[in-house]
């Protein structure tokens, strides 16, 4: 992602923050498109809260064939709405429990204090189940070739799951819910 793109995003966020607070920004898109990297850079620039959809992977009891067949069903969107989005709207401190990929359980609660800016990054962050909680929606895309190269740089034991399961599920979600058509910025 180029400096001009990052500057455009910062300018947009700054304009929103001048008009109102709190501001909630969602960054969705293909895996390997740079969502986590962009969110990390923004978190370095702003005193903000940052939530990762990867912290809301399905717990073992939720991993059923029916759930995996559901468009956008690869994350615990119900828990994300209940533990993060609804409390954010209240403006009060709260906590949430991220999913621990090593133990397949929920980790200890993470305390959250309200801030002027919140960034939510990750695939499925714009699931229609959430309604319209975002002030800015950013979609990051990547060519299949570049996506493949980036996935191959990740741990080898995950490659098959990315290519055979996760990428097709994300693509189905992005297409079925027409996520790009609802975004403010697309890169």
């Amino acid at each position: 992602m180029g400096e001009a793109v990052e500057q455009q995003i910062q300018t947009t966020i700054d304009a929103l923050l001048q008009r109102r607070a709190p501001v909630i920004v969602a960054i969705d898109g293909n895996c390997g498109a740079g969502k986590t990297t962009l969110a990390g850079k923004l978190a370095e620039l702003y005193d903000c809260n940052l939530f990762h959809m990867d912290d809301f992977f399905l717990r073992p009891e939720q991993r059923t064939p029916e759930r995996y067949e559901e468009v956008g069903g690869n994350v615990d969107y119900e828990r994300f709405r209940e533990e993060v989005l609804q409390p954010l709207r209240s403006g009060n401190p709260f906590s949430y429990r991220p999913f621990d990929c090593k133990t397949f359980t929920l980790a200890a609660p993470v305390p959250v204090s309200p801030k002027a800016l919140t960034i939510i990054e990750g695939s499925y962050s714009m699931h229609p189940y959430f309604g319209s909680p975002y002030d800015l929606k950013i979609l990051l895309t990547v060519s299949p070739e570049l996506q493949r190269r980036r996935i191959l740089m990740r741990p080898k034991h995950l490659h098959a799951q990315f290519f055979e399961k996760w990428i097709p599920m994300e693509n189905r979600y992005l297409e079925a819910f027409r996520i790009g058509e609802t975004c403010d910025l697309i890169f």
Side-chain angles (χ1 to χ4, degrees):
M1 181 165 311
E3 193 173 310
V5 169
E6 291 174 13
Q7 186 57 53
Q8 181 181 357
I9 293 168
Q10 289 173 34
T11 300
T12 305
I13 291 172
D14 291 344
L16 285 167
L17 288 169
Q18 287 177 358
R19 289 193 304 254
R20 67 178 171 275
V23 169
I24 304 175
V25 175
I27 305 171
D28 204 328
N30 308 99
C31 63
K35 299 177 301 294
T36 304
T37 300
L38 173 61
K41 287 179 180 181
L42 293 172
E44 288 177 15
L45 292 169
Y46 297 94
D47 177 25
C48 67
N49 286 312
L50 174 57
F51 297 95
H52 303 279
M53 291 304 294
D54 285 357
D55 287 339
F56 294 87
F57 282 142
L58 296 174
R59 294 173 303 229
E61 66 271 15
Q62 294 173 297
R63 296 173 185 219
T64 65
E66 296 81 17
R67 183 62 180 239
Y68 283 127
E69 284 298 315
E70 182 184 320
V71 175
N74 197 31
V75 294
D76 192 344
Y77 55 82
E78 301 94 343
R79 189 169 67 83
F80 179 74
R81 184 175 78 173
E82 181 180 317
E83 289 189 16
V84 175
L85 288 178
Q86 289 175 341
L88 275 174
R89 290 185 191 128
S90 77
N92 296 318
F94 64 95
S95 64
Y96 72 100
R97 297 183 68 194
F99 182 79
D100 184 328
C101 291
K102 292 178 182 160
T103 64
F104 281 77
T105 61
L106 297 181
V110 175
V112 178
S113 296
K115 297 196 176 195
L117 176 64
T118 295
I119 298 171
I120 297 166
E121 75 81 23
S123 298
Y124 310 105
S125 62
M126 293 184 208
H127 196 294
Y129 181 81
F130 304 140
S132 301
Y134 305 121
D135 300 292
L136 177 62
K137 296 190 286 185
I138 302 169
L139 179 67
L140 299 184
T141 62
V142 64
S143 71
E145 297 79 19
L146 182 55
Q147 182 183 49
R148 181 170 185 74
R149 286 197 307 269
R150 288 178 175 174
I151 296 303
L152 290 174
M153 292 170 31
R154 295 182 182 190
K156 188 174 184 174
H157 71 280
L158 297 175
H159 293 171
Q161 287 186 6
F162 272 105
F163 295 124
E164 296 167 16
K165 187 176 185 179
W166 296 332
I167 291 173
M169 291 175 81
E170 288 175 1
N171 290 340
R172 192 170 67 139
Y173 153 79
L174 292 167
E175 291 168 15
F177 292 134
R178 303 164 82 152
I179 298 300
E181 294 178 21
T182 69
C183 291
D184 303 297
L185 300 172
I186 300 175
F187 302 103

